[in-house]
Amino acid sequence: MKTLSEESLLLPNPLREGLVEERIPEPAAMVIFGASGDLTRRKLLPALYSLTRDRLLPARFAVLGFGRQVLSDEAFREEMRHGCEEFARRRPVDPALWAAFARNVFYQQGAYDDPAAFRRLKVRLEEIEHTLGLPGNRVFYLSTPPSTFAPVIRSLGHANLAPKPAPGQPFSRVIIEKPFGIDLQTARALNTEVHDILDEQQIYRIDHYLGKETVQNLLVFRFANGIFEPLWNNHFVDHVQITGAETVGVEARGGYFEQAGSMRDMVQNHLLQVLSLAAMEPPVAFEADAVRDEKLKVLKALRFIPVSDFEQQVVRAQYAAGSIGGKTVPGYLSEPDVSPRSTTETFVALKLFIDSWRWAGVPFYLRSGKRMPKRVTEIAIQFKEAPHLLFGKRGETIRPNVLSIRIQPDEGIALNFGSKLPGPAMEIAPVSMEFRYGSSFGVEPPEAYERLLLDCLLGDGTLFTRADEVEASWSWVSRIHQRWAEQVAAGRTTLDSYPAGSWGPDAADRMLAADGRAWRLP
């Protein structure tokens, strides 16, 4: 006999009448490696619970956590409930619905490089599938340290847990968290190892930025409207700024961040992906490979920064002690697990060019930093000034039009343009037309992990990165790391400083000022 909550998952929802019907995935099981870690509790299980509450997961669906920590099924379920109560988009947790959902949540202890543990995992997974009547469709999520990616996938292959696709057979897919390699060489090596076990179509390299509503809306904004795409080129665009700012420091991740830095942690993963979507050509169809083909072209068209222009186009810095929100915070060199002689960058600013007909001559300015005044990620498209000034006093300038696409927080789009001030004088003032998800649609947009988990279950790889994309981005980024390494070896490290709570070092401002431009204040 079904419970009320189980029955409610199957009832029609009158609020959805007249809407395009969402696709519901086939019944499946999801195995989460690293299930006792923070990402599972804060993001993955809350996302799956919210999808269940929105009736977007199949009624027959199981979650099997796998981790080194010893936990019972009940202890794991209780820990995940606390995570959902604190972090799920759909709160508070519905007790009856949670009870129905949690009955299909399980836990298995084991080591990532232990063949016996994977044999036990296979037996447990098959028992769950048999009990719940699941057809054998599987998604494996690697929420583990990067050093374990290859061992886990090898173990999956040796245990025959993720066979390659075959007609009429259940699917097996693997989601791999970032970072995928630490440079071009390691990314290529990892791709080779992964492809020994899996086909590319089974691999879902996840970047949670691509699951955000505004990133996806960028494609709709460009290609579903006839107004803006004709202006999206070097005839009308003066320059583009992409900002990824965080107020937090390295927190408890000093050891990781020492090896990564902002260039690896933010630019190679997030900002270059956002740039490729903003600069790509229209795909022939809204299909995974068609979209990713166009993104790849952008990454391959990135002009390598010549040594002669390196100092003018690349700025890196570390935050020093400062104040954020009235609270004094320490500098990077005082953070736990950070070397007092560290040369790791917590801020990076770049000026780059895309060698294509559409973008020839248009500079793209990227910046990413920690301990900044505001948490914000946005794309700002600044259009060229009007060719002839009809209004205003001689010598005055009117602000150029700016189209800002806010990825987080307060997701939305704003267009700034000049308008006449009320009164007899012909005075111009900037005004803004804004669209915000929360106020326009009256609902909070889904979390990025909700969209990405659902897409993987549906077999849609559009918002996941492909092997050649990863290698193309690393090819560009690794040259910058190589130049920094050469500077360190020669004793000529160019590492600026900026106080915590500021928008970065003066050198980043000078980089734009040399072009007669300035950073936008989000």
Side-chain angles (χ1 to χ4, degrees):
M1 180 176 176
K2 294 184 176 66
T3 66
L4 178 60
S5 293
E6 289 174 311
E7 289 284 3
S8 67
L9 296 177
L10 306 176
L11 293 176
N13 184 345
L15 297 177
R16 297 181 183 273
E17 290 181 7
L19 299 178
V20 175
E21 188 67 24
E22 293 97 343
R23 295 175 296 161
I24 303 297
E26 299 176 35
M30 178 175 288
V31 179
I32 300 175
F33 294 100
S36 54
D38 200 45
L39 182 66
T40 305
R41 187 179 71 89
R42 291 173 62 96
K43 295 293 184 181
L44 302 184
L45 259 292
L48 292 172
Y49 169 77
S50 294
L51 288 171
T52 300
R53 191 162 178 176
D54 287 344
R55 306 174 189 171
L56 293 174
L57 286 186
R60 289 183 294 149
F61 183 79
V63 178
L64 175 55
F66 184 98
R68 294 191 179 100
Q69 187 176 344
V70 178
L71 288 171
S72 66
D73 289 345
E74 286 303 322
F76 181 63
R77 290 166 182 164
E78 188 63 20
E79 187 175 335
M80 293 305 106
R81 174 169 182 153
H82 291 320
C84 290
E85 288 172 341
E86 187 174 357
F87 299 110
R89 176 176 58 90
R90 300 297 303 270
R91 296 193 301 267
V93 170
D94 178 88
L97 182 61
W98 173 261
F101 174 76
R103 274 199 295 273
N104 294 350
V105 175
F106 308 91
Y107 184 83
Q108 179 87 10
Q109 188 274 334
Y112 304 131
D113 56 354
D114 179 6
F118 277 77
R119 289 194 293 270
R120 293 193 297 271
L121 173 64
K122 183 179 183 181
V123 171
R124 182 82 186 280
L125 183 56
E126 289 173 347
E127 289 174 352
I128 292 170
E129 290 171 338
H130 176 74
T131 302
L132 299 180
L134 300 178
N137 295 320
R138 298 165 180 172
V139 171
F140 300 93
Y141 197 114
L142 273 61
S143 175
T144 60
S147 59
T148 69
F149 291 168
V152 169
I153 290 173
R154 282 198 299 269
S155 296
L156 288 174
H158 294 157
N160 197 31
L161 276 162
K164 292 191 175 182
Q169 296 301 308
F171 65 72
S172 296
R173 298 168 186 148
V174 179
I175 302 176
I176 304 177
E177 268 287 346
K178 77 174 186 75
F180 197 91
I182 60 171
D183 54 23
L184 178 58
Q185 181 179 354
T186 56
R188 281 177 172 166
L190 183 54
N191 272 330
T192 299
E193 287 200 71
V194 171
H195 286 149
D196 285 342
I197 305 298
L198 304 168
D199 282 352
E200 178 63 28
Q201 69 186 77
Q202 295 177 276
I203 305 165
Y204 290 72
R205 299 171 189 82
I206 194 168
D207 179 350
H208 71 273
Y209 264 51
L210 299 188
K212 294 182 180 296
E213 284 289 333
T214 311
V215 173
Q216 301 164 53
N217 196 42
L218 177 59
L219 297 177
V220 176
F221 183 81
R222 288 188 58 189
F223 304 132
N225 298 290
I227 299 176
F228 295 103
E229 186 59 22
L231 309 179
W232 214 266
N233 55 61
N234 57 5
H235 296 296
F236 299 97
V237 175
D238 179 77
H239 72 278
V240 179
Q241 296 184 21
I242 301 178
T243 296
E246 301 175 280
T247 57
V248 298
V250 296
E251 298 178 297
R253 301 166 67 235
Y256 160 76
F257 200 83
E258 273 287 86
Q259 303 302 315
S262 287
M263 195 71 180
R264 289 188 175 96
D265 190 49
M266 283 290 292
V267 176
Q268 187 275 332
N269 294 288
H270 303 320
L271 297 195
L272 286 185
Q273 283 292 314
V274 170
L275 177 143
S276 66
L277 286 169
M280 64 185 272
E281 295 296 324
V284 296
F286 191 64
E287 297 171 353
D289 279 335
V291 172
R292 294 188 290 190
D293 286 345
E294 298 304 331
K295 288 169 57 190
L296 177 63
K297 291 176 185 177
V298 174
L299 296 171
K300 285 188 172 183
L302 288 176
R303 183 189 304 172
F304 291 118
I305 299 174
V307 173
S308 59
D309 296 334
F310 194 83
E311 304 299 333
Q312 290 74 46
Q313 291 187 226
V314 181
V315 173
R316 66 170 176 158
Q318 282 179 355
Y319 63 80
S323 176
I324 297 179
K327 179 181 178 182
T328 301
V329 296
Y332 178 71
L333 297 181
S334 300
E335 298 281 13
D337 301 320
V338 171
S339 168
R341 294 178 296 278
S342 173
T343 59
T344 299
E345 76 286 353
T346 64
F347 174 95
V348 63
L350 304 164
K351 174 185 175 182
L352 55 89
F353 292 91
I354 299 170
D355 288 330
S356 68
W357 279 34
R358 179 185 290 264
W359 296 114
V362 176
F364 284 71
Y365 300 101
L366 276 61
R367 62 174 169 172
S368 176
K370 290 188 174 294
R371 290 295 191 201
M372 305 196 86
K374 186 177 181 181
R375 173 179 170 263
V376 61
T377 304
E378 76 163 20
I379 309 166
I381 314 288
Q382 180 166 313
F383 293 94
K384 293 181 178 180
E385 295 181 1
H388 177 61
L389 184 63
L390 295 175
F391 309 105
K393 299 176 183 177
R394 186 180 299 276
E396 284 186 342
T397 59
I398 297 175
R399 291 190 196 177
N401 305 125
V402 176
L403 177 69
S404 57
I405 301 164
R406 179 71 60 87
I407 296 171
Q408 67 176 10
D410 301 324
E411 294 95 329
I413 300 173
L415 176 63
N416 297 327
F417 58 93
S419 181
K420 180 186 177 298
L421 283 172
M426 184 59 74
E427 294 186 54
I428 310 298
V431 296
S432 179
M433 288 194 305
E434 291 193 9
F435 149 72
R436 297 195 179 202
Y437 267 92
S439 57
S440 295
F441 294 116
V443 295
E444 183 182 359
E447 289 285 336
Y449 280 97
E450 294 177 36
R451 172 63 189 266
L452 295 171
L453 292 176
L454 183 61
D455 278 2
C456 179
L457 286 164
L458 291 166
D460 185 348
T462 304
L463 299 176
F464 296 85
T465 52
R466 207 167 55 190
D468 48 7
E469 286 183 75
V470 172
E471 293 185 14
S473 62
W474 273 126
S475 178
W476 193 83
V477 167
S478 290
R479 293 199 179 201
I480 295 177
H481 280 124
Q482 180 181 354
R483 179 62 180 161
W484 283 343
E486 291 169 353
Q487 290 178 335
V488 171
R492 295 187 293 102
T493 303
T494 53
L495 186 66
D496 290 285
S497 176
Y498 63 99
S502 72
W503 281 107
D506 293 339
D509 295 329
R510 291 195 297 269
M511 182 172 73
L512 268 70
D515 297 335
R517 302 183 176 102
W519 289 107
R520 166 184 161 82
L521 292 180

